[in-house]
Amino acid sequence: MKKSVTDIVTNGLCIGCGLCESLAEAGSLKMMMTAEGRLRPSELNSLKSEFVDSIYQTCPGTQIHGLPEEEITSKTTVDPVWGPLIKVDRGYAADPDIRFRGSTGGVLTALAIYLLESQRVEFVAHVAADPEAPMRTKPHLSRTRADVLKAAGSRYGPAAPLQHFVQLLDLESPFAFVGKPCDISAIRNLAKIDPRVNRYCLYLLTLVCGGASELTKSQFVLEDFGLDEDELTLFRYRGYGNPGKTRIETKDGRAF
């Protein structure tokens, strides 16, 4: 049977990570917003079979595996619910500003800043609100503390953080990635066919995730206040209070 990216989507296996766009030939595949408010790949031109094969080898919807065996050591405990783990701690950012801005104690924000300021990485790849469309989310690179803080806070909407991941590997610079568990799974899959992943993507940080929300859920919130998306200057899901309230600000100075 001939493979296709469309089949992955129509069979409900796509989680919208965007890795397929990054792997495909330039201009042949693009992540697009569906009417349901989901980011899904759309074929602009016919994909060559080698690109389709690469996508099937790495897609976290078609390739579902646990932690690589070589990562499991004598220090590893295999929990029946959580799987392999070495240690579980509870913590929060020691910096009060980071803790206040973050969604759950600012842990990922603090770790990202630490990796940059200790020069362990040159940049952190994650997501942030689109400055031109604040309710929407786009891939984001942080190279400074200010960059990370600007993108702090969970995004409860569709995001494709791996949309340009292969192109980040082309930079040949050490970096960290922050994303959902399924995004990490996609990167682990890619590492099996591209040795640059383990060479340059040195830290994989993830969060507890209950699934990717649709953009329509946020649009329902706007409807409750009688607002249109093009009126917004801010749509913050969480943060500024740990977890903080959802906040909406408009171009004419109103806040909700």
Side-chain angles (χ1 to χ4, degrees), residues 134-136 218-219 221-235 248-251 254 256:
M135 195 167 71
R136 300 175 187 243
S218 301
Q219 290 170 335
V221 175
L222 292 188
E223 291 174 7
D224 285 344
F225 292 112
L227 299 172
D228 293 322
E229 186 181 352
D230 59 8
E231 296 181 71
L232 305 186
T233 58
L234 175 76
F235 195 106
I248 302 168
E249 294 179 3
T250 63
K251 295 173 182 176
R254 290 175 293 161
F256 303 83

Side-chain angles (χ1 to χ4, degrees), residues 136-240:
R136 300 175 187 243
T137 306
K138 62 187 298 185
H140 177 79
L141 296 186
S142 289
R143 297 183 183 272
T144 66
R145 176 191 181 96
D147 290 341
V148 177
L149 284 173
K150 187 177 180 181
S154 295
R155 302 292 301 167
Y156 290 93
L162 303 180
Q163 209 167 350
H164 313 297
F165 190 82
V166 173
Q167 290 68 40
L168 296 182
L169 297 175
D170 293 339
L171 299 176
E172 298 184 350
S173 298
F175 68 98
F177 174 83
V178 182
K180 302 183 299 301
C182 49
D183 302 326
I184 304 296
S185 179
I187 294 173
R188 294 277 193 190
N189 290 340
L190 181 61
K192 295 176 182 178
I193 63 172
D194 190 336
R196 298 178 303 165
V197 174
N198 291 334
R199 190 180 308 146
Y200 299 118
C201 187
L202 303 184
Y203 300 90
L204 298 171
L205 307 178
T206 192
L207 49 137
V208 173
C209 177
S213 181
E214 299 169 348
L215 187 69
T216 46
K217 304 299 183 184
S218 301
Q219 290 170 335
F220 293 154
V221 175
L222 292 188
E223 291 174 7
D224 285 344
F225 292 112
L227 299 172
D228 293 322
E229 186 181 352
D230 59 8
E231 296 181 71
L232 305 186
T233 58
L234 175 76
F235 195 106
R236 186 171 64 230
Y237 291 89
R238 291 179 69 185
Y240 286 73

